[in-house]
Amino acid sequence: MRYYLIAGEASGDLHASHLMKSLTAVDQDAVFRFFGGDCMTAAAGTRGERVKHYRSLAYMGFIPVLLHLPTILRGMKQCKQDIMTWQPDVVILVDYAGFNLSIAKFLRRSTMEHKPKVFYYIAPKLWAWKEYRIKNIKHYVDELFSILPFEKQFFEEKHHYPMHYVGNPTADEVRDFRNNYKEAHKDFCQRCNLDSEQPIIALLAGSRRQEISLNLPAMIESIEGDSRLDGYQTVIAGAPGIEPEYYNRFLTTNRCRIVYGETYPLLAHSTAALVTSGTATLETAMFNVPQVVCYRMSTPRLARWGFDHILKVKYISLVNLIADKEVVKELFADRFSVKAIREQLLAILPGTATRKRMEKDYQEVQQRLGTECAPDNAAKIMVQMAKK
């Protein structure tokens, strides 16, 4: 069958690439066409073709989206026309709700003679905000695939919309990596030009330039400005597509290092981490690395007001949302400061009570996620449904 996939950011690109591999295992005749990134391109191999890289459409926040709206609209028009031309059997939408729900609506209302099945992999986070979009899901999506266990209650019990919880792909990916990764700490440090005698504090400052520019300077300052942290080395996990020159503008001393394509090995060898909210918070928890969640906003007071009055969740990090309690400290919007980051980082270093409590709570989070292989489960259901 012919599968058209749309992913709009780095995490979606990674998850979609694993789904493509699983689809190929179930459907030996699978061919792909997609909006995505390097991971999806590698997974497709000779079976597929990338139409557009997600980096040209990956903008976050009201102002950046507004400024780049013509680019986004051109990309959306190109995507719709390309689907009409290619005539896929299945369209798989991966997260990226604003763009993908528009595509789903277009497909349902299109005049295509053979309309493709529309599957949504990684359900939009309607439980956080824009709950009204559930009407679009019901009208325009054939099957919904969830990767968060608490979403079942929201979609099925509250809104009476059946969906599939298939397991969590981030948990799958980390488990698979940890089961196969055998590199010694000394060898990792030598390979990445790090000091094997100093414990590592990892900085995961986001995958977009805007996130990095807002969060990374304060992360670095919180560590380099305190003598109690002199014995640690600071290592930045370089995001795909962000050149070293961009990171270098934020480095004030030679204490900080950058590694690319090494996020999982870096976490495997880290003592603690400062993490911008997102999938990275869950990845860090799966590696049992104590963390502080840091998310600076350009308008912190407005962001806090929005969180308190518009968003319908108590937390911003996946770790806390899955646990339904505060496992990791969230320094978000008006709570974000160099001093706060430093205090919380010191509180999770080896030997602290907060660190021990966090490590225990991580086990509960991992149990709630289960051990199902998300892309394999999703692929089996998708192929079965598509063949009906």
Side-chain angles (χ1 to χ4, degrees):
M1 284 187 289
R2 296 156 68 86
Y3 301 88
Y4 201 107
L5 295 92
I6 307 169
E9 55 190 356
S11 61
D13 176 44
L14 177 63
H15 297 327
S17 70
H18 291 292
L19 177 63
M20 291 163 74
K21 293 176 183 177
S22 296
L23 285 168
T24 301
V26 179
D27 179 4
Q28 296 182 357
D29 297 321
V31 291
F32 304 101
R33 194 168 174 84
F34 55 91
F35 273 45
D38 299 337
C39 294
M40 295 171 72
T41 303
T46 58
R47 288 176 174 264
E49 182 179 358
R50 185 176 74 204
V51 181
K52 201 175 191 67
H53 201 289
Y54 70 80
R55 282 199 297 268
S56 63
L57 301 171
Y59 301 103
M60 59 172 287
F62 177 77
I63 298 300
V65 169
L66 187 63
L67 292 174
H68 295 91
L69 189 59
T71 301
I72 296 171
L73 292 176
R74 282 195 299 270
M76 192 175 292
K77 182 179 180 180
Q78 179 185 3
C79 184
K80 292 174 181 178
Q81 291 176 339
D82 196 58
I83 292 174
M84 292 281 286
T85 301
W86 199 60
Q87 294 285 312
D89 299 298
V90 179
V91 173
I92 301 174
L93 312 173
V94 185
D95 205 353
Y96 198 39
F99 189 99
N100 276 332
L101 284 175
S102 177
I103 297 297
K105 180 179 179 179
F106 164 78
L107 291 173
R108 183 64 75 205
R109 295 181 173 183
S110 75
T111 57
M112 297 172 66
E113 184 177 353
H114 301 290
K115 292 186 179 181
K117 290 282 188 180
V118 178
F119 298 154
Y120 214 123
Y121 182 62
I122 306 182
K125 298 173 179 60
L126 307 187
W127 38 265
W129 75 315
K130 296 187 177 180
E131 189 171 349
Y132 63 86
R133 282 178 167 174
I134 187 65
K135 295 180 180 179
N136 294 359
I137 295 288
K138 289 181 175 180
H139 291 160
Y140 309 133
V141 175
D142 294 306
E143 300 291 336
L144 184 67
F145 298 83
S146 164
I147 64 169
L148 297 171
F150 61 83
E151 288 183 330
K152 194 172 184 68
Q153 180 180 13
F154 174 83
F155 285 104
E156 293 194 340
E157 296 181 22
K158 184 176 182 180
H159 289 287
H160 311 291
Y161 181 79
M163 42 80 77
H164 309 274
Y165 173 65
V166 292
N168 188 276
T170 297
D172 295 337
E173 290 150 13
V174 174
R175 274 193 300 265
D176 183 62
F177 176 85
R178 295 186 69 184
N179 288 337
N180 294 284
Y181 184 65
K182 307 299 181 185
E183 188 176 30
H185 179 78
K186 183 177 180 180
D187 295 334
F188 168 73
C189 289
Q190 183 177 1
R191 181 168 60 82
C192 295
N193 195 29
L194 305 177
D195 186 342
S196 61
E197 299 299 321
Q198 288 189 322
I200 296 171
I201 297 176
L203 305 186
L204 283 70
S207 60
R208 301 181 181 93
R209 293 173 187 269
Q210 182 187 2
E211 288 178 321
I212 295 167
S213 64
L214 285 172
N215 291 282
L216 186 58
M219 289 178 167
I220 294 173
E221 186 180 349
S222 70
I223 298 171
E224 297 188 343
D226 195 302
S227 59
R228 290 170 291 181
L229 296 166
D230 283 348
Y232 292 85
Q233 58 183 322
T234 309
V235 185
I236 301 169
I242 306 296
E243 63 278 2
E245 291 75 18
Y246 187 79
Y247 286 104
N248 288 338
R249 69 180 67 181
F250 306 114
L251 306 186
T252 55
T253 70
N254 293 325
R255 286 184 57 185
C256 217
R257 295 285 185 271
I258 307 172
V259 295
Y260 280 92
E262 300 283 352
T263 301
Y264 280 10
L266 174 61
L267 287 173
H269 294 286
S270 293
T271 297
L274 302 180
V275 186
T276 296
S277 184
T279 305
T281 63
L282 184 56
E283 291 173 325
T284 304
M286 292 298 297
F287 277 97
N288 297 315
V289 178
Q291 65 182 298
V292 182
V293 175
C294 313
Y295 203 87
R296 184 180 183 182
M297 306 292 290
S298 54
T299 54
R301 291 184 180 179
L302 180 61
R304 174 57 59 185
W305 184 90
F307 181 80
D308 292 339
H309 295 89
I310 299 177
L311 296 185
K312 299 182 179 182
V313 292
K314 295 182 287 185
Y315 309 106
I316 64 168
S317 68
L318 286 176
V319 178
N320 291 345
L321 286 167
I322 293 168
D324 196 27
K325 65 180 181 181
E326 187 182 67
V327 174
V328 299
K329 186 64 69 174
E330 298 179 350
L331 304 181
F332 164 68
D334 57 331
R335 297 174 187 171
F336 181 103
S337 71
V338 170
K339 181 181 178 182
I341 296 171
R342 183 181 297 136
E343 288 176 352
Q344 294 303 321
L345 176 58
L346 291 169
I348 61 171
L349 294 181
T352 61
T354 302
R355 182 185 182 91
K356 294 177 182 177
R357 187 264 307 163
M358 192 178 296
E359 290 173 337
K360 181 179 179 181
D361 288 341
Y362 277 170
Q363 302 306 311
E364 180 181 341
V365 171
Q366 293 171 17
Q367 289 174 3
R368 290 193 177 196
L369 289 172
T371 57
E372 296 289 331
C373 181
D376 284 355
N377 288 344
K380 291 174 184 176
I381 297 170
M382 287 179 180
V383 173
Q384 181 182 5
M385 293 292 182
K387 286 183 176 180
K388 284 187 177 180

